[in-house]
Amino acid sequence: MSASAEATVLITHDVGLHARPSVKFTKLAKTFAAVVEVALAANGPWFDAKSIVKVMAAKAPKGTMLHIRARGDGAGEAVEALIELVLRDFDEGEDHARTA
């Protein structure tokens, strides 16, 4: 039996899941052997979380519930890591404050 995991997280990043956050999200997803998918609704449609084109095309704004699922080796770890990345605002908090 193949491992699987699924979770939902609220996007609180001001620009949502756009350019920089999408790159960080897909790069992290690619570090796992599991098949990782995301959706903007619990019943889909689901798309490949390792595809920058598909993740950016979702245009998920702030306030969107992001559904993440994975199956295969490291499924639980993949979902957990991606949830944590979203909860950390894609690591763009104070580190990305404008510098003039």
Side-chain angles (χ1 to χ4, degrees):
M1 181 167 24
S2 182
S4 65
E6 191 168 335
T8 303
V9 65
L10 179 67
I11 297 174
T12 59
H13 190 277
D14 286 337
V15 298
L17 192 56
H18 289 286
R20 284 188 319 270
S22 291
V23 168
K24 291 179 180 185
F25 190 87
T26 57
K27 276 186 172 182
L28 181 57
K30 288 178 184 180
T31 65
F32 295 93
V35 172
V36 185
E37 297 175 308
V38 293
L40 304 183
N43 59 348
W46 291 88
F47 51 93
D48 184 0
K50 297 179 183 182
S51 168
I52 186 64
V53 172
K54 291 180 181 178
V55 172
M56 283 184 69
K59 297 181 181 175
K62 179 179 181 176
T64 299
M65 290 302 291
L66 189 64
H67 302 269
I68 305 170
R69 71 182 182 189
R71 66 183 182 283
D73 291 341
E77 293 85 354
V79 170
E80 185 178 325
L82 291 166
I83 292 291
E84 287 298 318
L85 179 66
V86 175
L87 291 175
R88 292 191 316 264
D89 254 356
F90 303 94
D91 295 332
E92 293 193 350
E94 294 177 24
D95 293 341
H96 270 292
R98 292 185 196 203
T99 55

